[in-house]
Amino acid sequence: MQPDASEPIVNAMSIDVEDYFHVSVFDGIVPRSQWESMESRVCGNTQRLLDIFEEYEVKSTFFVLGWVGERHPELVRAIAARGHEIASHGYAHRLVYDQTRAAFRDDVRRAKSLLEDASGRAVSGYRAPSYSITPRSLWAIDVLIEEGYRYDSSIFPIRHDRYGISVSDRKPYRIDRPGGSLIEVPGSTTQLGTMNLPVAGGGYFRILPYWWTRWGIARVNAQERRPAIFYLHPWEIDPQQPRLAAGRLSRFRHYRNLDDTESRLRRLLTDFRFDTMEKVVDAARLTIHHDERVALSLPYSW
Ligand SMILES: [Zn+2]
């Protein structure tokens, strides 16, 4: 079932709630043993995002890192109290393909349970650190189903040095497994020739000119009549964050245009409509139930 062509498409807004030092490119620079001693800026930055969303009357999904939710349950409560969706970014920000199945299960179970305790609501969505569900960690899908997650947003259909399954579907799809089903909701891309290029979030939003994102989301909405899935991190609107001594490429990826991102976000919220992942997933689920052909299009068995 395609949405009515006269209706404006409602896209998904999502925030991965973590601090600037949790980012995977800084793994070798800020070991986990030092996290506790770092200056924390995640609460202030997330509060600013909440205020911006209120100003534009937008609801978003917040994929909260369990480690952050454990230390700041009041932040989780504040997000939920303002009508946004709480979802899980795992507990310790470890890449999925670097974990055993048992360790991954502990991580996603711990995050879900403490976020549900803090928010008083069921958590149904998961997004892996650095989109790290790849061909070698597809077993994670089974664990997420067993742990009660309803949707996942970790499989990016692109080529990248650290993540992505370039042959996976670009639109939301259902993955059927022996233990149950899960809706996969990939970050948005646009197709140029045979290439899938990311158009909706993170470094691509911050580093490339704004017109790229606006063109890409408009293209997904107009040509495919589908919502775009957008993502951002609280540290991306914080030009005052402490600078870490990373390599040149990591510094470029992390620090470029931090002072411009909030104004870009405001333009984005003016140019498009947004709601939570849950709402978009519910709509996609309907479509998927109407069309059996869109179940599982990953060319792997595991
Ligand atoms: Zn993250």
Side-chain angles (χ1 to χ4, degrees):
M1 193 176 69
Q2 292 294 313
D4 184 340
S6 62
E7 286 283 305
I9 301 250
V10 179
N11 302 289
M13 175 56 65
S14 68
I15 304 294
D16 293 356
V17 181
E18 62 192 34
D19 232 319
Y20 60 98
F21 53 83
H22 290 131
V23 178
S24 301
V25 293
F26 295 145
D27 270 356
I29 293 157
V30 185
R32 283 178 174 71
S33 56
Q34 283 179 28
W35 281 4
E36 208 75 69
S37 62
M38 300 293 289
E39 177 195 345
S40 175
R41 302 179 65 86
V42 68
C43 290
N45 292 333
T46 304
Q47 287 290 351
R48 273 176 56 213
L49 285 170
L50 288 172
D51 290 342
I52 294 169
F53 289 148
E54 187 152 310
E55 209 179 303
Y56 291 85
E57 298 181 357
V58 163
K59 296 290 185 249
S60 170
T61 293
F62 288 77
F63 290 93
V64 183
L65 189 65
W67 191 91
V68 170
E70 189 174 53
R71 278 153 189 81
H72 306 287
E74 75 290 349
L75 180 67
V76 179
R77 272 196 296 278
I79 297 168
R82 288 167 83 161
H84 302 284
E85 178 193 357
I86 301 288
S88 160
H89 194 35
Y91 179 79
H93 215 268
R94 291 184 200 281
L95 300 173
V96 178
Y97 47 71
D98 285 347
Q99 298 181 73
T100 63
R101 190 177 173 125
F104 176 72
R105 185 186 300 282
D106 287 348
D107 182 275
V108 296
R109 182 181 288 180
R110 186 175 180 188
K112 188 172 191 288
S113 136
L114 72 89
L115 294 171
E116 287 179 343
D117 285 350
S119 67
R121 303 218 191 126
V123 164
S124 62
Y126 174 75
R127 178 176 288 150
S130 296
Y131 296 98
S132 52
I133 298 186
T134 67
R136 59 192 168 120
S137 50
L138 284 168
W139 46 262
I141 297 291
D142 296 309
V143 176
L144 291 172
I145 292 169
E146 286 156 17
E147 293 302 318
Y149 287 93
R150 282 178 55 226
Y151 76 88
D152 172 64
S153 182
S154 311
I155 301 181
F156 226 118
I158 59 164
R159 279 181 214 286
H160 186 279
D161 55 355
R162 282 177 293 115
Y163 57 82
I165 301 183
S166 61
V167 294
S168 63
D169 218 318
R170 297 174 45 252
K171 60 181 185 301
Y173 52 96
R174 194 184 70 225
I175 301 178
D176 292 330
R177 299 292 298 162
S181 298
L182 180 107
I183 306 293
E184 179 62 36
V185 192
S188 286
T189 54
T190 193
Q191 247 175 343
L192 284 183
T194 57
M195 293 264 283
N196 294 340
L197 300 171
V199 290
Y204 304 98
F205 176 63
R206 190 162 39 80
I207 294 165
L208 299 175
Y210 174 70
W211 65 257
W212 170 256
T213 299
R214 189 175 58 189
W215 173 79
I217 294 179
R219 198 170 191 236
V220 170
N221 288 172
Q223 289 191 353
E224 304 173 33
R225 298 299 302 161
R226 288 185 196 286
I229 314 300
F230 184 86
Y231 75 97
L232 203 67
H233 303 85
W235 55 262
E236 292 188 274
I237 58 158
D238 180 12
Q240 264 83 50
Q241 67 189 271
R243 296 301 194 260
L244 300 170
R248 189 188 274 189
L249 178 62
S250 300
R251 283 206 315 270
F252 176 80
R253 279 182 179 170
H254 192 88
Y255 296 126
R256 179 96 178 148
N257 290 342
L258 289 174
D259 49 357
D260 194 31
T261 307
E262 179 177 336
S263 64
R264 284 183 185 209
L265 177 63
R266 289 174 178 277
R267 286 180 72 182
L268 184 77
L269 297 175
T270 309
D271 288 342
F272 297 98
R273 292 180 62 193
F274 290 96
D275 207 331
T276 64
M277 295 282 292
E278 213 166 27
K279 291 271 171 64
V280 167
V281 168
D282 282 344
R285 216 182 169 84
L286 258 182
T287 310
I288 282 164
H289 281 309
H290 276 82
D291 186 353
E292 289 304 313
R293 289 168 302 175
V294 295
L296 182 58
S297 42
L298 293 171
Y300 298 94
S301 52
W302 72 92

